[in-house]
Amino acid sequence: MAKLWKKLPPPMADNFGFIEVLNKTDGMGIIDDCSEYRTSAERRRRHRENGEAQMRVVHTEIGPEDVVSGTRQKVLDAFEDGRRDLTPEFVLLSAGPCSAMIGTDLEEIAETIGQSSGIKAAAVKLSGHKAYDTGISETLLAMAKLLTKPGNICPSSVNILGATALDWQEENAGALRGWLESQDFSAAMHTTKTSGERFLVAMHTTKTSGGRFLVTADFGGAERAENIARAAEAQVNLAVTVSGLAAAKYLKSRYGTPYIAAAPFGKSWTERVLEALGSGTQPEQGTAGQKSESGARSGETECGRQVENTEPEVLIICEQFMGNAIRETLIRDYGMENVRVYTFYMMEKSLSQPGDGRLRSEQEAEKLLKEGGFHTIIADPLLRCFAPEGSRWIDLPHKVFQLYGEHPALPLFFGENLNKWLDEQLRKTEENI
């Protein structure tokens, strides 16, 4: 009963991450299962305003008889039916819980689709049993492997990886490309030490591009296959969520493209992220803001002795990279200390700090909030039922917690926008301290 969800919704399945990514592309997805995998809002909103199909993912509608006969033909039929309406540039296949148990060979079917239609196709390693972020991660990785090809490096260009509405909501995810292209790449180049052929070339050519960042492809956002195919031309990649890391690591191993793993939120932290994009070097994080009375951080040596950890003060529960950005902002711009980041989803250990952790059940979350001794808690409003009396609570809506209902809006967080939001939230909750 340890994994029983009573007050919180269970984690959104990986197939929803698959759908979120494919719906933003000119490709097509096929889920081999009996369910539609659509939220209530998606069922109500079947088409975009311009008439273009909203859903670019079809399902095979398998039944009990397919346990014996197999689902291969139903996948092929779903492809033929879907291609007439969607005219896809590529096709990705995913298993659902039922077909995963049957063991349908989706890789073989993808090969058959590619050979018979001339449309690039691949299978994504999903089963409906993991969380949404795994679905996003595996889908972006499959797209990178299927579509990208070698190309000449374009100075000041960058790929975005992992920005979806499931983590950032529509406003932030949709605005990232325009915001990034408004930033000064040449300034970032000249404030950091650059290394590597990609950046030495850029130092002599940024003036011709106007000195601004140029986004080549947005993996996870609204993007066309032809731009994803050119991803190897980018000078650097920006993975803004943990879900974007697998594709970023693949592009580095395949084409040598360096990547930065960070969300550009908060005044000081965004400045460091932009500088990192100019140098291709990951920005350093603070050590959770832990300081002794003398100012030494926890874990550092002070006057010949080891400084002990102090009690945690601030808890952030959200997607890891967003949590890291909020933490860095609280430490650097607000002088806060002892900030912890927790998440229900994937964590990159190399980018976590001592005291950070992953929550695997509702019971773990309840214990952490009630017994952690946190002064300030920043998390989705559904977790507020576990908050101890007297703590300062700041709502940080996470769309995946509101799968079948309405969710509070999340404002823009880019750069100083996060600081403005924090100013307002801290002022509003001051009376609860």
Side-chain angles (χ1 to χ4, degrees), residues 22 34 44 47 113 128 152 184 278 319 351 362 393 405 416-417:
L22 265 298
C34 57
R44 294 193 300 268
H47 295 85
I113 289 175
N152 296 324
D184 192 343
E319 192 279 327
L351 298 174
E362 179 178 306
W393 184 275
E416 292 187 60
N417 288 306

Side-chain angles (χ1 to χ4, degrees), residues 229-308:
R230 297 176 45 242
E233 299 175 12
Q235 185 174 316
V236 63
N237 289 326
L238 176 62
V240 296
T241 63
V242 181
S243 298
L245 267 182
K249 291 178 179 179
Y250 168 78
L251 293 170
K252 181 176 182 180
S253 65
R254 177 70 176 83
Y255 304 109
T257 313
Y259 65 86
I260 305 302
F265 299 155
K267 182 179 183 298
S268 297
W269 181 240
T270 296
E271 291 173 356
R272 294 176 65 85
V273 172
L274 292 176
E275 290 173 3
L277 287 173
S279 66
T281 304
Q282 180 69 22
E284 292 185 4
Q285 299 181 72
T287 312
Q290 302 166 23
K291 298 180 182 179
S292 66
E293 292 182 358
S294 67
R297 294 191 182 276
S298 174
E300 293 181 341
T301 300
E302 177 189 320
C303 299
R305 65 181 178 84
Q306 195 76 6
V307 177
E308 297 295 329

Side-chain angles (χ1 to χ4, degrees), residues 80-302:
E80 292 298 335
D81 290 342
R83 70 182 295 196
R84 287 192 291 269
D85 296 330
L86 301 173
T87 58
E89 293 295 322
F90 65 96
V91 180
L92 295 182
L93 312 181
S94 169
C98 295
S99 62
M101 291 187 288
I102 296 172
T104 303
D105 189 348
L106 293 180
E107 292 185 359
E108 183 274 330
I109 299 175
E111 184 176 352
T112 298
I113 289 175
Q115 292 175 348
S116 63
S117 67
I119 300 173
K120 291 185 176 182
V124 183
K125 297 179 179 179
L126 300 174
S127 63
H129 293 292
K130 294 186 177 181
Y132 81 98
D133 54 338
T134 298
I136 295 173
S137 176
E138 291 293 336
T139 305
L140 296 182
L141 177 60
M143 288 166 54
K145 291 181 176 181
L146 179 68
L147 300 175
T148 61
K149 56 187 178 182
N152 296 324
I153 300 168
C154 178
S156 74
S157 60
V158 58
N159 293 317
I160 301 168
L161 301 101
T164 72
L166 292 182
D167 285 315
W168 285 18
Q169 294 194 15
E170 287 77 3
E171 186 172 11
N172 279 288
L176 177 57
R177 186 186 201 117
W179 176 85
L180 189 56
E181 290 188 333
S182 71
Q183 304 304 304
D184 192 343
F185 184 88
S186 59
M189 289 285 299
H190 293 296
T191 55
T192 57
K193 293 182 179 179
T194 60
S195 59
E197 179 184 353
R198 291 175 180 267
F199 297 92
L200 291 175
V201 170
M203 290 181 69
H204 299 287
T205 55
T206 49
K207 290 183 179 180
T208 62
S209 64
R212 301 291 180 183
F213 285 96
L214 301 173
V215 175
T216 302
D218 184 355
F219 285 73
E223 193 55 274
R224 305 184 68 83
E226 61 182 312
N227 289 333
I228 296 171
R230 297 176 45 242
E233 299 175 12
Q235 185 174 316
V236 63
N237 289 326
L238 176 62
V240 296
T241 63
V242 181
S243 298
L245 267 182
K249 291 178 179 179
Y250 168 78
L251 293 170
K252 181 176 182 180
S253 65
R254 177 70 176 83
Y255 304 109
T257 313
Y259 65 86
I260 305 302
F265 299 155
K267 182 179 183 298
S268 297
W269 181 240
T270 296
E271 291 173 356
R272 294 176 65 85
V273 172
L274 292 176
E275 290 173 3
L277 287 173
S279 66
T281 304
Q282 180 69 22
E284 292 185 4
Q285 299 181 72
T287 312
Q290 302 166 23
K291 298 180 182 179
S292 66
E293 292 182 358
S294 67
R297 294 191 182 276
S298 174
E300 293 181 341
T301 300
E302 177 189 320

Side-chain angles (χ1 to χ4, degrees), residues 361-374:
S361 68
E362 179 178 306
Q363 289 75 19
E364 288 185 7
E366 182 174 7
K367 182 177 181 180
L368 175 68
L369 268 69
K370 289 185 175 180
E371 302 176 12
F374 296 101

Side-chain angles (χ1 to χ4, degrees), residues 28-40:
M28 171 183 169
I30 302 173
I31 297 179
D32 187 22
D33 207 47
C34 57
S35 173
E36 281 190 297
Y37 290 96
R38 299 187 185 187
T39 65
S40 299

Side-chain angles (χ1 to χ4, degrees), residues 325-377:
I326 295 174
R327 169 167 52 202
E328 291 298 315
T329 302
L330 292 175
I331 293 171
R332 299 175 185 275
D333 298 344
Y334 291 83
M336 292 191 181
E337 302 176 4
N338 308 318
V339 184
R340 303 283 183 265
V341 173
Y342 272 73
T343 183
F344 282 94
Y345 306 104
M346 294 190 297
M347 284 197 80
E348 175 66 21
K349 290 184 178 180
S350 65
L351 298 174
S352 64
Q353 295 291 324
D356 292 352
R358 183 177 178 186
L359 298 167
R360 301 181 185 275
S361 68
E362 179 178 306
Q363 289 75 19
E364 288 185 7
E366 182 174 7
K367 182 177 181 180
L368 175 68
L369 268 69
K370 289 185 175 180
E371 302 176 12
F374 296 101
H375 179 273
T376 300
I377 301 170

